[in-house]
Amino acid sequence: MLMFAKPYRKLLFFSLLLTGFIVIASLAQPFIIKVAIDSYIKMNDYQGMMYLGIIYFILIMVSSICTYFQNNTLQFTGQYVIYDFRQAVFKHFSVMQMDFFRKNPIGRLVTRITHDVEALNQLYSQVIVNLVKEVLILIGIIALMLYMSVKLTLICFLVIPIIAIVTFYFKRVLRDTQRKLRSILSSLLSYLAENLSGMSVIQLFARERKQLDRFNELNEEHYRAGMRQTVINSIFNPSIGLFGNISLALLVWYGGRSVVDETITFGTVYAFTHYVRQFFEPLRGLADRFNQIQAALASAERIFETLETKPTIVNPVQPKELPEKVKGDIVFNHVWFAYKNEEWVLKDVHFRINQGETVGIVGATGAGKSSIIQLINRFYDNQKGIISLDGINIKNVLLNDLRRHIGIIQQDAFIFSGTVFDNIRLNHNAVSNEEIIKAAKAVNIDSFFRMLPQGYNTMLGEEGTVLSAGQKQLLSFLRAMIADNDVLILDEATANIDTESEQAVQAALREMSKNRTTIIIAHRLSTIQQADKIIVLDKGRIVEMGNHQQLLKNQMVYYDLCQNQNKGKTLKI
Ligand SMILES: Nc1ncnc2c1ncn2[C@@H]1O[C@H](COP(=O)(O)OP(=O)(O)OP(=O)(O)O)[C@@H](O)[C@H]1O
Ligand SMILES: [Mg+2]
């Protein structure tokens, strides 16, 4: 655990050093006054008094300066910790396979990067150093007290065993409450994330009441656990204070008598009253530390568990290199694939797409069309069989190398915060604005982007303009044109575009698919009639393959599909 403090060890060490000064300074103050009372005031030693005063003043100054630097150092350390861990966790998320995001609700992942990282920050910025400080002060006080008077020390500490028992009991109760609080908070966040992103569905189906009820339930649980914690604390803190005061009373009673008897000096009793008060502060703090440590450890455990979850889709150890430009031969060799266990989504899928061919994939909803695409760019790995690009097994190629060659236009394009230009360009920084406009003009969709409030400079995303489904598809189409990948895949990419724009896009598509391997998934069969090959999928199996004319002649699944879409019209065979 502390191993992870390594990058910050210099800072931590520095603040520990400062802590040493602070502890010495705060312990010395009552002792100096004791010396002043017992040795100098009694003797009317003005010069001695002055020296002591100067020493006292210097101590206070040193202590303040050290405290200032220590606080800052700790805060800096905390900020570094937050920065580093957030980055590490996010970076880790970005290499995880899609499967990971399916299994982990967004709320949980958000908690990792916010709440858990924050708890870890506490560990570094507050717990470690304060723990040392409190222990040192306690030891220091006990040592000084014993040095001054063993008897008085024992009297003062009569209540210590009781305090220990009370603390132990309270903290155990408190720990359970806190654990509960954290688990409720996590559920609450998950629930919140899910509901916020699904709000339109909730409102549409008038489920607000139901969702709210469930939320209230969680919220109330959280409230009750929170209240419990407050109440426990509100009993605990004063009771420690009470014992402190009992201790003080014992001290005044016995100490006062001893001063009268002249067995103990007045200065000693004075210093004792200070030390007793000082003693209970760190004691209370220490009790808190253990809770903080526990919370931080729990968070740290979750963070490291996340960081240690290895991605399952990884680069090969000895990668083969794809050529700068691939031909685009894609082969599925008896491929079996399931998202989980043995629920096969693709069953013995076997086909070959040759260089430059345009291939259509059709099939009912849920047949497995999109899954084929997920496999080609390795969002998922198939369990059996081999998928190859240009004769190289795609599992033997670096992920980036593979994905660089494959352009996918999906049904629901994701829009990032940024301008239209940024969104089309993505990471092809060398492409100029003019080139983008030229590409848009070439396919006659330039006017759509000009119509937006600030044309191509319109801000999109979270706080910007929202594009319609069709506009998004046009945008992602341009993305693919600009990316100019060797293999082009369209998954229901023209479903939301009106007929007029679709014609423009189809023309552009014909242009782009020339000399380029192209895979088109479409429900509208007219889109793929011209394809060199059409693969017909049914419940994960290929049931037919051939071009439009051949498949019509077969009079099987494809023929039925066509007939359904062209109701009434007779089909030309
Ligand atoms: N991420 C996923 N996790 C688990 N199962 C999935 C996942 N995505 C799809 N499936 C399942 O795999 C099967 C095939 O889905 P796929 O998305 O490939 O169908 P499709 O042919 O593209 O359908 P559509 O025409 O509706 O887009 C479906 O039964 C679906 O439930
Ligand atoms: Mg699909």
Side-chain angles (χ1 to χ4, degrees), residues 272-305:
F272 259 78
T273 57
H274 267 264
Y275 285 133
V276 166
R277 251 189 245 138
Q278 253 188 21
F279 189 80
F280 288 92
E281 209 37 59
L283 207 59
R284 219 178 321 193
L286 270 186
D288 284 342
R289 290 315 148 229
F290 288 109
N291 286 324
Q292 285 174 334
I293 289 178
Q294 244 161 8
L297 285 184
S299 289
E301 201 176 304
R302 284 193 293 258
I303 289 179
F304 293 124
E305 198 184 281

PDB file of all heavy atoms in Angstrom, residues 272-305:
ATOM      1  N   PHE A 272       0.832  20.511  33.905  1.00  0.00           N
ATOM      2  CA  PHE A 272      -0.020  19.315  33.816  1.00  0.00           C
ATOM      3  C   PHE A 272      -1.399  19.653  33.251  1.00  0.00           C
ATOM      4  O   PHE A 272      -1.921  18.927  32.412  1.00  0.00           O
ATOM      5  CB  PHE A 272      -0.162  18.657  35.192  1.00  0.00           C
ATOM      6  CG  PHE A 272       0.726  17.459  35.354  1.00  0.00           C
ATOM      7  CD1 PHE A 272       2.082  17.624  35.606  1.00  0.00           C
ATOM      8  CD2 PHE A 272       0.212  16.179  35.238  1.00  0.00           C
ATOM      9  CE1 PHE A 272       2.911  16.524  35.742  1.00  0.00           C
ATOM     10  CE2 PHE A 272       1.036  15.068  35.361  1.00  0.00           C
ATOM     11  CZ  PHE A 272       2.392  15.244  35.619  1.00  0.00           C
ATOM     12  N   THR A 273      -1.974  20.757  33.775  1.00  0.00           N
ATOM     13  CA  THR A 273      -3.322  21.074  33.262  1.00  0.00           C
ATOM     14  C   THR A 273      -3.277  21.266  31.749  1.00  0.00           C
ATOM     15  O   THR A 273      -4.180  20.841  31.039  1.00  0.00           O
ATOM     16  CB  THR A 273      -3.887  22.368  33.901  1.00  0.00           C
ATOM     17  OG1 THR A 273      -2.978  23.422  33.637  1.00  0.00           O
ATOM     18  CG2 THR A 273      -4.118  22.212  35.373  1.00  0.00           C
ATOM     19  N   HIS A 274      -2.190  21.878  31.259  1.00  0.00           N
ATOM     20  CA  HIS A 274      -2.069  22.052  29.813  1.00  0.00           C
ATOM     21  C   HIS A 274      -1.923  20.730  29.098  1.00  0.00           C
ATOM     22  O   HIS A 274      -2.571  20.462  28.083  1.00  0.00           O
ATOM     23  CB  HIS A 274      -0.864  22.944  29.500  1.00  0.00           C
ATOM     24  CG  HIS A 274      -1.269  24.372  29.377  1.00  0.00           C
ATOM     25  ND1 HIS A 274      -1.539  24.955  28.170  1.00  0.00           N
ATOM     26  CD2 HIS A 274      -1.488  25.308  30.319  1.00  0.00           C
ATOM     27  CE1 HIS A 274      -1.897  26.212  28.376  1.00  0.00           C
ATOM     28  NE2 HIS A 274      -1.873  26.456  29.676  1.00  0.00           N
ATOM     29  N   TYR A 275      -1.022  19.906  29.628  1.00  0.00           N
ATOM     30  CA  TYR A 275      -0.756  18.632  28.949  1.00  0.00           C
ATOM     31  C   TYR A 275      -1.995  17.742  28.938  1.00  0.00           C
ATOM     32  O   TYR A 275      -2.267  17.061  27.957  1.00  0.00           O
ATOM     33  CB  TYR A 275       0.413  17.914  29.611  1.00  0.00           C
ATOM     34  CG  TYR A 275       1.750  18.538  29.248  1.00  0.00           C
ATOM     35  CD1 TYR A 275       2.706  18.815  30.194  1.00  0.00           C
ATOM     36  CD2 TYR A 275       2.018  18.852  27.915  1.00  0.00           C
ATOM     37  CE1 TYR A 275       3.913  19.398  29.855  1.00  0.00           C
ATOM     38  CE2 TYR A 275       3.223  19.440  27.560  1.00  0.00           C
ATOM     39  CZ  TYR A 275       4.159  19.716  28.532  1.00  0.00           C
ATOM     40  OH  TYR A 275       5.335  20.294  28.180  1.00  0.00           O
ATOM     41  N   VAL A 276      -2.736  17.755  30.037  1.00  0.00           N
ATOM     42  CA  VAL A 276      -3.939  16.909  30.068  1.00  0.00           C
ATOM     43  C   VAL A 276      -4.896  17.350  28.967  1.00  0.00           C
ATOM     44  O   VAL A 276      -5.447  16.537  28.232  1.00  0.00           O
ATOM     45  CB  VAL A 276      -4.628  16.989  31.445  1.00  0.00           C
ATOM     46  CG1 VAL A 276      -6.041  16.405  31.369  1.00  0.00           C
ATOM     47  CG2 VAL A 276      -3.815  16.229  32.466  1.00  0.00           C
ATOM     48  N   ARG A 277      -5.049  18.672  28.831  1.00  0.00           N
ATOM     49  CA  ARG A 277      -5.937  19.151  27.778  1.00  0.00           C
ATOM     50  C   ARG A 277      -5.409  18.777  26.401  1.00  0.00           C
ATOM     51  O   ARG A 277      -6.145  18.346  25.535  1.00  0.00           O
ATOM     52  CB  ARG A 277      -6.104  20.667  27.901  1.00  0.00           C
ATOM     53  CG  ARG A 277      -7.499  21.004  28.383  1.00  0.00           C
ATOM     54  CD  ARG A 277      -7.764  22.465  28.301  1.00  0.00           C
ATOM     55  NE  ARG A 277      -7.934  22.982  29.649  1.00  0.00           N
ATOM     56  CZ  ARG A 277      -7.431  24.125  30.083  1.00  0.00           C
ATOM     57  NH1 ARG A 277      -6.694  24.872  29.275  1.00  0.00           N
ATOM     58  NH2 ARG A 277      -7.654  24.512  31.290  1.00  0.00           N
ATOM     59  N   GLN A 278      -4.088  18.955  26.264  1.00  0.00           N
ATOM     60  CA  GLN A 278      -3.473  18.628  24.971  1.00  0.00           C
ATOM     61  C   GLN A 278      -3.575  17.147  24.642  1.00  0.00           C
ATOM     62  O   GLN A 278      -3.571  16.756  23.497  1.00  0.00           O
ATOM     63  CB  GLN A 278      -1.986  18.998  25.026  1.00  0.00           C
ATOM     64  CG  GLN A 278      -1.663  20.237  24.216  1.00  0.00           C
ATOM     65  CD  GLN A 278      -0.163  20.463  24.140  1.00  0.00           C
ATOM     66  OE1 GLN A 278       0.634  19.549  24.334  1.00  0.00           O
ATOM     67  NE2 GLN A 278       0.220  21.682  23.881  1.00  0.00           N
ATOM     68  N   PHE A 279      -3.650  16.367  25.685  1.00  0.00           N
ATOM     69  CA  PHE A 279      -3.613  14.916  25.518  1.00  0.00           C
ATOM     70  C   PHE A 279      -4.858  14.372  24.805  1.00  0.00           C
ATOM     71  O   PHE A 279      -4.780  13.480  23.982  1.00  0.00           O
ATOM     72  CB  PHE A 279      -3.490  14.268  26.906  1.00  0.00           C
ATOM     73  CG  PHE A 279      -3.231  12.801  26.851  1.00  0.00           C
ATOM     74  CD1 PHE A 279      -1.955  12.315  26.611  1.00  0.00           C
ATOM     75  CD2 PHE A 279      -4.265  11.885  27.045  1.00  0.00           C
ATOM     76  CE1 PHE A 279      -1.709  10.960  26.564  1.00  0.00           C
ATOM     77  CE2 PHE A 279      -4.018  10.527  26.999  1.00  0.00           C
ATOM     78  CZ  PHE A 279      -2.728  10.073  26.757  1.00  0.00           C
ATOM     79  N   PHE A 280      -6.012  14.958  25.138  1.00  0.00           N
ATOM     80  CA  PHE A 280      -7.250  14.370  24.624  1.00  0.00           C
ATOM     81  C   PHE A 280      -7.528  14.740  23.169  1.00  0.00           C
ATOM     82  O   PHE A 280      -8.279  14.059  22.489  1.00  0.00           O
ATOM     83  CB  PHE A 280      -8.423  14.740  25.533  1.00  0.00           C
ATOM     84  CG  PHE A 280      -8.346  13.997  26.824  1.00  0.00           C
ATOM     85  CD1 PHE A 280      -7.716  14.529  27.926  1.00  0.00           C
ATOM     86  CD2 PHE A 280      -8.859  12.711  26.901  1.00  0.00           C
ATOM     87  CE1 PHE A 280      -7.604  13.824  29.099  1.00  0.00           C
ATOM     88  CE2 PHE A 280      -8.757  11.986  28.074  1.00  0.00           C
ATOM     89  CZ  PHE A 280      -8.125  12.541  29.182  1.00  0.00           C
ATOM     90  N   GLU A 281      -6.890  15.817  22.728  1.00  0.00           N
ATOM     91  CA  GLU A 281      -7.065  16.232  21.331  1.00  0.00           C
ATOM     92  C   GLU A 281      -6.572  15.143  20.372  1.00  0.00           C
ATOM     93  O   GLU A 281      -7.332  14.621  19.575  1.00  0.00           O
ATOM     94  CB  GLU A 281      -6.340  17.568  21.131  1.00  0.00           C
ATOM     95  CG  GLU A 281      -6.933  18.474  20.070  1.00  0.00           C
ATOM     96  CD  GLU A 281      -8.448  18.442  19.999  1.00  0.00           C
ATOM     97  OE1 GLU A 281      -9.157  18.749  20.996  1.00  0.00           O
ATOM     98  OE2 GLU A 281      -8.924  18.079  18.912  1.00  0.00           O
ATOM     99  N   PRO A 282      -5.274  14.797  20.444  1.00  0.00           N
ATOM    100  CA  PRO A 282      -4.780  13.751  19.542  1.00  0.00           C
ATOM    101  C   PRO A 282      -5.468  12.412  19.762  1.00  0.00           C
ATOM    102  O   PRO A 282      -5.604  11.626  18.825  1.00  0.00           O
ATOM    103  CB  PRO A 282      -3.288  13.642  19.872  1.00  0.00           C
ATOM    104  CG  PRO A 282      -3.077  14.406  21.109  1.00  0.00           C
ATOM    105  CD  PRO A 282      -4.200  15.355  21.266  1.00  0.00           C
ATOM    106  N   LEU A 283      -5.932  12.184  20.966  1.00  0.00           N
ATOM    107  CA  LEU A 283      -6.603  10.917  21.241  1.00  0.00           C
ATOM    108  C   LEU A 283      -7.866  10.794  20.388  1.00  0.00           C
ATOM    109  O   LEU A 283      -8.127   9.783  19.750  1.00  0.00           O
ATOM    110  CB  LEU A 283      -6.982  10.871  22.725  1.00  0.00           C
ATOM    111  CG  LEU A 283      -7.087   9.481  23.317  1.00  0.00           C
ATOM    112  CD1 LEU A 283      -5.766   8.743  23.174  1.00  0.00           C
ATOM    113  CD2 LEU A 283      -7.472   9.582  24.788  1.00  0.00           C
ATOM    114  N   ARG A 284      -8.617  11.881  20.381  1.00  0.00           N
ATOM    115  CA  ARG A 284      -9.824  11.912  19.568  1.00  0.00           C
ATOM    116  C   ARG A 284      -9.464  11.794  18.088  1.00  0.00           C
ATOM    117  O   ARG A 284     -10.087  11.084  17.327  1.00  0.00           O
ATOM    118  CB  ARG A 284     -10.559  13.229  19.809  1.00  0.00           C
ATOM    119  CG  ARG A 284     -12.036  13.043  19.855  1.00  0.00           C
ATOM    120  CD  ARG A 284     -12.736  14.316  20.128  1.00  0.00           C
ATOM    121  NE  ARG A 284     -12.019  15.147  21.111  1.00  0.00           N
ATOM    122  CZ  ARG A 284     -12.554  16.206  21.694  1.00  0.00           C
ATOM    123  NH1 ARG A 284     -13.775  16.542  21.405  1.00  0.00           N
ATOM    124  NH2 ARG A 284     -11.885  16.919  22.564  1.00  0.00           N
ATOM    125  N   GLY A 285      -8.376  12.524  17.731  1.00  0.00           N
ATOM    126  CA  GLY A 285      -7.910  12.493  16.342  1.00  0.00           C
ATOM    127  C   GLY A 285      -7.547  11.079  15.930  1.00  0.00           C
ATOM    128  O   GLY A 285      -7.941  10.609  14.866  1.00  0.00           O
ATOM    129  N   LEU A 286      -6.843  10.389  16.817  1.00  0.00           N
ATOM    130  CA  LEU A 286      -6.406   9.032  16.487  1.00  0.00           C
ATOM    131  C   LEU A 286      -7.587   8.127  16.189  1.00  0.00           C
ATOM    132  O   LEU A 286      -7.540   7.311  15.274  1.00  0.00           O
ATOM    133  CB  LEU A 286      -5.614   8.454  17.660  1.00  0.00           C
ATOM    134  CG  LEU A 286      -4.112   8.713  17.636  1.00  0.00           C
ATOM    135  CD1 LEU A 286      -3.445   7.961  18.767  1.00  0.00           C
ATOM    136  CD2 LEU A 286      -3.530   8.273  16.307  1.00  0.00           C
ATOM    137  N   ALA A 287      -8.636   8.299  16.981  1.00  0.00           N
ATOM    138  CA  ALA A 287      -9.818   7.472  16.748  1.00  0.00           C
ATOM    139  C   ALA A 287     -10.350   7.728  15.345  1.00  0.00           C
ATOM    140  O   ALA A 287     -10.744   6.804  14.636  1.00  0.00           O
ATOM    141  CB  ALA A 287     -10.879   7.790  17.785  1.00  0.00           C
ATOM    142  N   ASP A 288     -10.342   9.010  14.914  1.00  0.00           N
ATOM    143  CA  ASP A 288     -10.780   9.328  13.555  1.00  0.00           C
ATOM    144  C   ASP A 288      -9.878   8.695  12.512  1.00  0.00           C
ATOM    145  O   ASP A 288     -10.333   8.218  11.488  1.00  0.00           O
ATOM    146  CB  ASP A 288     -10.775  10.846  13.331  1.00  0.00           C
ATOM    147  CG  ASP A 288     -11.966  11.494  13.998  1.00  0.00           C
ATOM    148  OD1 ASP A 288     -12.918  10.752  14.309  1.00  0.00           O
ATOM    149  OD2 ASP A 288     -11.925  12.723  14.212  1.00  0.00           O
ATOM    150  N   ARG A 289      -8.567   8.758  12.798  1.00  0.00           N
ATOM    151  CA  ARG A 289      -7.601   8.227  11.824  1.00  0.00           C
ATOM    152  C   ARG A 289      -7.949   6.810  11.428  1.00  0.00           C
ATOM    153  O   ARG A 289      -7.857   6.429  10.289  1.00  0.00           O
ATOM    154  CB  ARG A 289      -6.186   8.204  12.389  1.00  0.00           C
ATOM    155  CG  ARG A 289      -5.479   9.485  12.602  1.00  0.00           C
ATOM    156  CD  ARG A 289      -5.552  10.470  11.509  1.00  0.00           C
ATOM    157  NE  ARG A 289      -5.521  11.766  12.167  1.00  0.00           N
ATOM    158  CZ  ARG A 289      -6.366  12.742  11.927  1.00  0.00           C
ATOM    159  NH1 ARG A 289      -7.279  12.607  10.992  1.00  0.00           N
ATOM    160  NH2 ARG A 289      -6.291  13.863  12.582  1.00  0.00           N
ATOM    161  N   PHE A 290      -8.318   6.011  12.420  1.00  0.00           N
ATOM    162  CA  PHE A 290      -8.543   4.610  12.084  1.00  0.00           C
ATOM    163  C   PHE A 290      -9.727   4.446  11.142  1.00  0.00           C
ATOM    164  O   PHE A 290      -9.699   3.621  10.242  1.00  0.00           O
ATOM    165  CB  PHE A 290      -8.690   3.772  13.354  1.00  0.00           C
ATOM    166  CG  PHE A 290      -7.364   3.629  14.038  1.00  0.00           C
ATOM    167  CD1 PHE A 290      -7.092   4.262  15.228  1.00  0.00           C
ATOM    168  CD2 PHE A 290      -6.362   2.899  13.421  1.00  0.00           C
ATOM    169  CE1 PHE A 290      -5.838   4.164  15.816  1.00  0.00           C
ATOM    170  CE2 PHE A 290      -5.104   2.797  13.997  1.00  0.00           C
ATOM    171  CZ  PHE A 290      -4.847   3.428  15.205  1.00  0.00           C
ATOM    172  N   ASN A 291     -10.716   5.302  11.321  1.00  0.00           N
ATOM    173  CA  ASN A 291     -11.827   5.261  10.365  1.00  0.00           C
ATOM    174  C   ASN A 291     -11.371   5.692   8.981  1.00  0.00           C
ATOM    175  O   ASN A 291     -11.692   5.064   7.984  1.00  0.00           O
ATOM    176  CB  ASN A 291     -12.948   6.198  10.807  1.00  0.00           C
ATOM    177  CG  ASN A 291     -13.695   5.609  11.962  1.00  0.00           C
ATOM    178  OD1 ASN A 291     -13.874   4.394  12.025  1.00  0.00           O
ATOM    179  ND2 ASN A 291     -14.102   6.448  12.890  1.00  0.00           N
ATOM    180  N   GLN A 292     -10.595   6.794   8.971  1.00  0.00           N
ATOM    181  CA  GLN A 292     -10.129   7.287   7.680  1.00  0.00           C
ATOM    182  C   GLN A 292      -9.276   6.244   6.978  1.00  0.00           C
ATOM    183  O   GLN A 292      -9.405   6.025   5.784  1.00  0.00           O
ATOM    184  CB  GLN A 292      -9.314   8.569   7.868  1.00  0.00           C
ATOM    185  CG  GLN A 292     -10.177   9.770   8.159  1.00  0.00           C
ATOM    186  CD  GLN A 292      -9.339  10.990   8.488  1.00  0.00           C
ATOM    187  OE1 GLN A 292      -8.204  10.867   8.958  1.00  0.00           O
ATOM    188  NE2 GLN A 292      -9.894  12.163   8.265  1.00  0.00           N
ATOM    189  N   ILE A 293      -8.410   5.621   7.779  1.00  0.00           N
ATOM    190  CA  ILE A 293      -7.547   4.619   7.177  1.00  0.00           C
ATOM    191  C   ILE A 293      -8.383   3.494   6.594  1.00  0.00           C
ATOM    192  O   ILE A 293      -8.157   3.033   5.484  1.00  0.00           O
ATOM    193  CB  ILE A 293      -6.555   4.046   8.213  1.00  0.00           C
ATOM    194  CG1 ILE A 293      -5.516   5.104   8.559  1.00  0.00           C
ATOM    195  CG2 ILE A 293      -5.873   2.807   7.676  1.00  0.00           C
ATOM    196  CD1 ILE A 293      -4.524   4.670   9.604  1.00  0.00           C
ATOM    197  N   GLN A 294      -9.401   3.111   7.347  1.00  0.00           N
ATOM    198  CA  GLN A 294     -10.230   2.031   6.847  1.00  0.00           C
ATOM    199  C   GLN A 294     -10.956   2.404   5.568  1.00  0.00           C
ATOM    200  O   GLN A 294     -10.989   1.636   4.615  1.00  0.00           O
ATOM    201  CB  GLN A 294     -11.241   1.639   7.905  1.00  0.00           C
ATOM    202  CG  GLN A 294     -10.954   0.229   8.336  1.00  0.00           C
ATOM    203  CD  GLN A 294     -11.565  -0.076   9.653  1.00  0.00           C
ATOM    204  OE1 GLN A 294     -12.329   0.728  10.190  1.00  0.00           O
ATOM    205  NE2 GLN A 294     -11.251  -1.223  10.170  1.00  0.00           N
ATOM    206  N   ALA A 295     -11.501   3.625   5.557  1.00  0.00           N
ATOM    207  CA  ALA A 295     -12.194   4.079   4.350  1.00  0.00           C
ATOM    208  C   ALA A 295     -11.216   4.150   3.197  1.00  0.00           C
ATOM    209  O   ALA A 295     -11.507   3.690   2.090  1.00  0.00           O
ATOM    210  CB  ALA A 295     -12.818   5.448   4.595  1.00  0.00           C
ATOM    211  N   ALA A 296     -10.029   4.709   3.481  1.00  0.00           N
ATOM    212  CA  ALA A 296      -9.044   4.857   2.414  1.00  0.00           C
ATOM    213  C   ALA A 296      -8.576   3.503   1.916  1.00  0.00           C
ATOM    214  O   ALA A 296      -8.422   3.296   0.711  1.00  0.00           O
ATOM    215  CB  ALA A 296      -7.857   5.675   2.900  1.00  0.00           C
ATOM    216  N   LEU A 297      -8.386   2.580   2.840  1.00  0.00           N
ATOM    217  CA  LEU A 297      -7.933   1.261   2.416  1.00  0.00           C
ATOM    218  C   LEU A 297      -8.982   0.577   1.552  1.00  0.00           C
ATOM    219  O   LEU A 297      -8.659  -0.049   0.552  1.00  0.00           O
ATOM    220  CB  LEU A 297      -7.603   0.383   3.631  1.00  0.00           C
ATOM    221  CG  LEU A 297      -6.289   0.731   4.327  1.00  0.00           C
ATOM    222  CD1 LEU A 297      -6.016  -0.255   5.436  1.00  0.00           C
ATOM    223  CD2 LEU A 297      -5.132   0.730   3.323  1.00  0.00           C
ATOM    224  N   ALA A 298     -10.251   0.745   1.964  1.00  0.00           N
ATOM    225  CA  ALA A 298     -11.316   0.134   1.169  1.00  0.00           C
ATOM    226  C   ALA A 298     -11.312   0.731  -0.239  1.00  0.00           C
ATOM    227  O   ALA A 298     -11.404   0.013  -1.236  1.00  0.00           O
ATOM    228  CB  ALA A 298     -12.665   0.362   1.836  1.00  0.00           C
ATOM    229  N   SER A 299     -11.174   2.065  -0.306  1.00  0.00           N
ATOM    230  CA  SER A 299     -11.137   2.716  -1.611  1.00  0.00           C
ATOM    231  C   SER A 299      -9.912   2.285  -2.397  1.00  0.00           C
ATOM    232  O   SER A 299      -9.997   1.989  -3.587  1.00  0.00           O
ATOM    233  CB  SER A 299     -11.114   4.229  -1.450  1.00  0.00           C
ATOM    234  OG  SER A 299     -12.359   4.664  -1.004  1.00  0.00           O
ATOM    235  N   ALA A 300      -8.781   2.271  -1.699  1.00  0.00           N
ATOM    236  CA  ALA A 300      -7.543   1.891  -2.371  1.00  0.00           C
ATOM    237  C   ALA A 300      -7.676   0.484  -2.932  1.00  0.00           C
ATOM    238  O   ALA A 300      -7.297   0.217  -4.075  1.00  0.00           O
ATOM    239  CB  ALA A 300      -6.381   1.947  -1.392  1.00  0.00           C
ATOM    240  N   GLU A 301      -8.266  -0.381  -2.142  1.00  0.00           N
ATOM    241  CA  GLU A 301      -8.436  -1.757  -2.594  1.00  0.00           C
ATOM    242  C   GLU A 301      -9.241  -1.796  -3.893  1.00  0.00           C
ATOM    243  O   GLU A 301      -8.887  -2.471  -4.844  1.00  0.00           O
ATOM    244  CB  GLU A 301      -9.166  -2.537  -1.508  1.00  0.00           C
ATOM    245  CG  GLU A 301      -8.972  -4.022  -1.585  1.00  0.00           C
ATOM    246  CD  GLU A 301      -9.653  -4.687  -0.401  1.00  0.00           C
ATOM    247  OE1 GLU A 301      -9.333  -4.320   0.751  1.00  0.00           O
ATOM    248  OE2 GLU A 301     -10.521  -5.510  -0.633  1.00  0.00           O
ATOM    249  N   ARG A 302     -10.339  -0.983  -3.893  1.00  0.00           N
ATOM    250  CA  ARG A 302     -11.172  -0.963  -5.098  1.00  0.00           C
ATOM    251  C   ARG A 302     -10.407  -0.388  -6.278  1.00  0.00           C
ATOM    252  O   ARG A 302     -10.490  -0.904  -7.388  1.00  0.00           O
ATOM    253  CB  ARG A 302     -12.436  -0.153  -4.841  1.00  0.00           C
ATOM    254  CG  ARG A 302     -13.458  -0.899  -3.997  1.00  0.00           C
ATOM    255  CD  ARG A 302     -14.784  -0.207  -4.040  1.00  0.00           C
ATOM    256  NE  ARG A 302     -14.709   1.085  -3.379  1.00  0.00           N
ATOM    257  CZ  ARG A 302     -15.167   1.296  -2.152  1.00  0.00           C
ATOM    258  NH1 ARG A 302     -15.723   0.311  -1.486  1.00  0.00           N
ATOM    259  NH2 ARG A 302     -15.079   2.475  -1.594  1.00  0.00           N
ATOM    260  N   ILE A 303      -9.638   0.668  -6.023  1.00  0.00           N
ATOM    261  CA  ILE A 303      -8.891   1.275  -7.128  1.00  0.00           C
ATOM    262  C   ILE A 303      -7.858   0.288  -7.675  1.00  0.00           C
ATOM    263  O   ILE A 303      -7.762   0.074  -8.876  1.00  0.00           O
ATOM    264  CB  ILE A 303      -8.184   2.563  -6.663  1.00  0.00           C
ATOM    265  CG1 ILE A 303      -9.225   3.649  -6.431  1.00  0.00           C
ATOM    266  CG2 ILE A 303      -7.178   3.027  -7.707  1.00  0.00           C
ATOM    267  CD1 ILE A 303      -8.649   4.951  -5.951  1.00  0.00           C
ATOM    268  N   PHE A 304      -7.118  -0.346  -6.761  1.00  0.00           N
ATOM    269  CA  PHE A 304      -6.080  -1.235  -7.251  1.00  0.00           C
ATOM    270  C   PHE A 304      -6.671  -2.481  -7.895  1.00  0.00           C
ATOM    271  O   PHE A 304      -6.112  -3.020  -8.830  1.00  0.00           O
ATOM    272  CB  PHE A 304      -5.103  -1.588  -6.128  1.00  0.00           C
ATOM    273  CG  PHE A 304      -4.330  -0.383  -5.700  1.00  0.00           C
ATOM    274  CD1 PHE A 304      -4.325   0.048  -4.386  1.00  0.00           C
ATOM    275  CD2 PHE A 304      -3.652   0.375  -6.645  1.00  0.00           C
ATOM    276  CE1 PHE A 304      -3.637   1.192  -4.011  1.00  0.00           C
ATOM    277  CE2 PHE A 304      -2.967   1.521  -6.285  1.00  0.00           C
ATOM    278  CZ  PHE A 304      -2.957   1.925  -4.962  1.00  0.00           C
ATOM    279  N   GLU A 305      -7.810  -2.884  -7.376  1.00  0.00           N
ATOM    280  CA  GLU A 305      -8.485  -4.021  -8.005  1.00  0.00           C
ATOM    281  C   GLU A 305      -8.845  -3.655  -9.443  1.00  0.00           C
ATOM    282  O   GLU A 305      -8.637  -4.432 -10.366  1.00  0.00           O
ATOM    283  CB  GLU A 305      -9.753  -4.330  -7.209  1.00  0.00           C
ATOM    284  CG  GLU A 305     -10.312  -5.707  -7.451  1.00  0.00           C
ATOM    285  CD  GLU A 305     -11.617  -5.846  -6.689  1.00  0.00           C
ATOM    286  OE1 GLU A 305     -11.544  -6.072  -5.480  1.00  0.00           O
ATOM    287  OE2 GLU A 305     -12.682  -5.689  -7.310  1.00  0.00           O
TER     288      GLU A 305
END
